[in-house]
Amino acid sequence: DAKTTQPTSMDCAEGRAANLPCNHSTISGNEYVYWYRQIHSQGPQYIIHGLKNNETNEMASLIITEDRKSSTLILPHATLRDTAVYYCIVNLGISSGSARQLTFGSGTQLTVLP
Amino acid sequence: AAGVIQSPRHLIKEKRETATLKCYPIPRHDTVYWYQQGPGQDPQFLISFYEKMQSDKGSIPDRFSAQQFSDYHSELNMSSLELGDSALYFCASSFVGVGNEKLFFGSGTQLSVL
């Protein structure tokens, strides 16, 4: 799996958009970008994933650059409950008939400030 | 919606004892993953099972073993426990399809080895 680089920590004001960057310059053409988060001592939680196109769901938006070497996770209106470690993970996903684990690197500690 | 269930939530053992952690995946999920998270560390992949067969192996010590049963639940068996085994152990489950895999994590088992 391609390596990812994320800032160690970020702050965001409550109600503002939180933009979390991730560099994955060695990503291959068939690797997806996944985002998970982990609120203190809880199990990691899936947020969003994408291959090439930008994606949006009820939790966040994922913007992937055209060359796919970096991406940004956007939490449009951050709340105090969004304080967590956010992990950007590049992964092949799974092919039919096999499983593939996620490798967690060092994520970004996002602190939402009141 | 049903989630991944892990038991017990907390476990205290002495050095050299054995421990068994259980994981019940989301119904119809066919893949189970085990992760270990030490204090202040990121989750580390241990082992995974797909359709009751071992699929991938990570940094799992030889003292640990795991299996997935016919009802798809999984157990992680840990023997000759050491102080360094104290950690949060997460189980995750997924349904293997064509790409785009999402892992759903349980709340974890906190193991303390005294």
Side-chain angles (χ1 to χ4, degrees):
Chain A
D1 296 336
K3 180 177 171 58
T4 61
T5 304
Q6 299 178 248
T8 303
S9 63
M10 293 181 64
D11 292 340
C12 176
E14 187 177 19
R16 305 296 291 268
N19 297 285
L20 291 90
C22 178
N23 287 321
H24 32 79
S25 58
T26 60
I27 191 170
S28 62
N30 56 351
E31 286 184 308
Y32 293 84
V33 179
Y34 290 80
W35 284 84
Y36 282 75
R37 73 179 182 183
Q38 186 176 28
I39 297 170
H40 181 65
S41 295
Q42 296 181 21
Q45 177 190 23
Y46 166 84
I47 301 173
I48 200 168
H49 74 277
L51 184 62
K52 297 180 184 177
N53 300 321
N54 298 337
E55 303 287 345
T56 295
N57 63 20
E58 65 278 3
M59 289 182 69
S61 294
L62 174 60
I63 308 298
I64 303 174
T65 57
E66 193 168 342
D67 62 8
R68 302 208 327 122
K69 292 185 177 182
S70 65
S71 60
T72 300
L73 177 74
I74 301 173
L75 307 179
H77 305 288
T79 71
L80 299 178
R81 290 183 296 178
D82 291 322
T83 293
V85 177
Y86 287 76
Y87 294 98
C88 169
I89 302 169
V90 171
N91 190 276
L92 282 170
I94 50 92
S95 57
S96 179
S98 68
R100 187 160 179 88
Q101 76 280 6
L102 298 174
T103 300
F104 289 85
S106 300
T108 297
Q109 171 66 58
L110 175 69
T111 301
V112 180
L113 304 172
Chain B
V4 177
I5 298 173
Q6 292 187 244
S7 68
R9 290 297 306 275
H10 303 275
L11 190 58
I12 299 174
K13 291 287 185 178
E14 305 246 334
K15 284 196 309 183
R16 293 180 288 277
E17 285 191 320
T18 60
T20 297
L21 309 185
K22 297 185 178 182
C23 170
Y24 297 86
I26 292 172
R28 291 188 298 279
H29 280 194
D30 51 19
T31 306
V32 166
Y33 307 77
W34 285 98
Y35 284 81
Q36 177 191 58
Q37 187 172 26
Q41 299 180 0
D42 302 304
Q44 297 296 313
F45 170 71
L46 292 178
I47 195 167
S48 64
F49 293 86
Y50 166 66
E51 283 291 347
K52 293 155 280 184
M53 300 289 290
Q54 182 180 306
S55 176
D56 285 303
K57 202 170 182 179
S59 51
I60 183 169
D62 293 339
R63 299 177 289 108
F64 295 6
S65 65
Q67 57 182 324
Q68 186 179 29
F69 295 85
S70 59
D71 64 353
Y72 292 96
H73 94 272
S74 178
E75 294 184 3
L76 177 66
N77 299 294
M78 312 158 72
S79 63
S80 302
L81 287 169
E82 302 174 356
L83 296 179
D85 296 328
S86 295
L88 260 173
Y89 290 83
F90 290 108
C91 170
S93 75
S94 68
F95 176 72
V96 172
V98 180
N100 301 335
E101 181 183 29
K102 303 175 191 177
L103 269 62
F104 295 84
F105 285 80
S107 298
T109 294
Q110 176 67 60
L111 173 65
S112 299
V113 181
L114 306 179

